[in-house]
């Protein structure tokens, strides 16, 4: 990878990588550190990273660093099992509550597929799972979100 290709990769993928990491860590500083570290690792391995696969490389590195961070912090989020009734502008809060109930793996899968638009094959490469596992785990995560959010009565 040349310096020009590296700069183009930064320009194209920095924002989406930050969004992915921030949604997983829910911490601005941690997200910035992980994005910076991911780009540093890509630059250090620029001889082995191809310009066509730089996005997958970045998301793979970032995903593994998010998991490492979670393990280091041993963060345990306790969330009330029953959905709360919210009104008006609290929809975002309800969705964040539902999202926080997912495991790191489930949250990453939902973000990669539904937010970033990756294909199942691309996600399997990033996450180190086979395509069938990605589909099953993603289905279970979506079912858990549906179960928590419940009917429209919980949202209105």
């Amino acid at each position: 990878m040349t310096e020009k290709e590296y700069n183009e990769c930064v320009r194209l993928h920095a924002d989406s990588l930050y969004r992915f990491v921030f949604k997983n860590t829910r911490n601005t500083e941690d997200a910035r550190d992980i994005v910076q570290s991911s780009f540093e690792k890509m630059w250090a391995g620029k001889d082995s990273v191809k310009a066509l696969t730089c996005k997958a490389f970045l998301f793979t590195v970032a995903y593994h660093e998010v998991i490492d961070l979670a393990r280091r912090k041993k963060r345990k989020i306790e969330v009330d099992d029953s959905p709360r009734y919210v009104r008006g502008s609290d929809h975002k809060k309800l969705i964040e509550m539902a999202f926080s109930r997912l495991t790191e793996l489930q949250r990453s899968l939902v973000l990669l597929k539904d937010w970033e638009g990756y294909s199942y094959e691309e996600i399997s490469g990033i996450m180190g799972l086979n395509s069938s596992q990605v589909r099953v785990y993603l289905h279970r995560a979506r079912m858990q979100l549906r179960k928590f959010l419940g009917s429209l009565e919980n949202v209105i």
Side-chain angles (χ1 to χ4, degrees):
M1 168 180 287
T2 65
E3 184 176 342
K4 184 178 179 181
E5 291 170 332
Y6 174 82
N7 290 334
E8 184 66 14
C9 186
V10 170
R11 187 185 69 75
L12 291 174
H13 306 301
D15 291 339
S16 61
L17 184 65
Y18 176 79
R19 280 192 311 268
F20 170 72
V21 173
F22 180 75
K23 290 285 186 179
N24 275 294
T25 63
R26 293 181 298 278
N27 183 304
T28 305
E29 293 304 317
D30 289 340
R32 288 179 182 165
D33 290 344
I34 289 173
V35 169
Q36 180 69 30
S37 176
S38 298
F39 280 110
E40 286 175 3
K41 288 181 180 179
M42 187 172 73
W43 180 252
K46 67 181 182 217
D47 296 333
S48 62
V49 177
K50 297 176 183 172
L52 295 175
T53 60
C54 70
K55 185 175 182 182
F57 178 86
L58 287 170
F59 276 82
T60 302
V61 169
Y63 169 72
H64 289 291
E65 289 199 22
V66 165
I67 293 204
D68 290 345
L69 177 68
R71 286 179 182 156
R72 279 192 309 269
K73 287 186 172 185
K74 294 182 182 174
R75 175 175 40 170
K76 293 182 181 179
I77 301 174
E78 294 182 21
V79 179
D80 189 9
D81 282 348
S82 59
R84 296 185 182 127
Y85 292 93
V86 295
R87 289 180 278 169
S89 63
D90 289 340
H91 296 304
K92 183 177 179 181
K93 186 175 181 178
L94 180 66
I95 292 171
E96 287 174 358
M97 285 174 49
F99 210 70
S100 70
R101 294 177 48 92
L102 299 176
T103 65
E104 293 291 327
L105 175 68
Q106 291 174 326
R107 189 175 17 254
S108 295
L109 288 170
V110 170
L111 287 171
L112 287 171
K113 181 65 178 159
D114 299 332
W115 189 263
E116 297 297 333
Y118 278 101
S119 69
Y120 292 110
E121 291 75 25
E122 291 171 321
I123 295 171
S124 67
I126 291 170
M127 304 287 286
L129 304 168
N130 66 43
S131 185
S132 298
Q133 288 174 312
V134 169
R135 292 172 197 270
V136 169
Y137 295 158
L138 186 59
H139 174 73
R140 289 177 183 163
R142 288 174 176 161
M143 292 301 292
Q144 188 172 346
L145 287 172
R146 260 187 229 120
K147 182 179 177 185
F148 180 80
L149 293 173
S151 67
L152 288 177
E153 294 170 358
N154 294 334
V155 177
I156 297 175

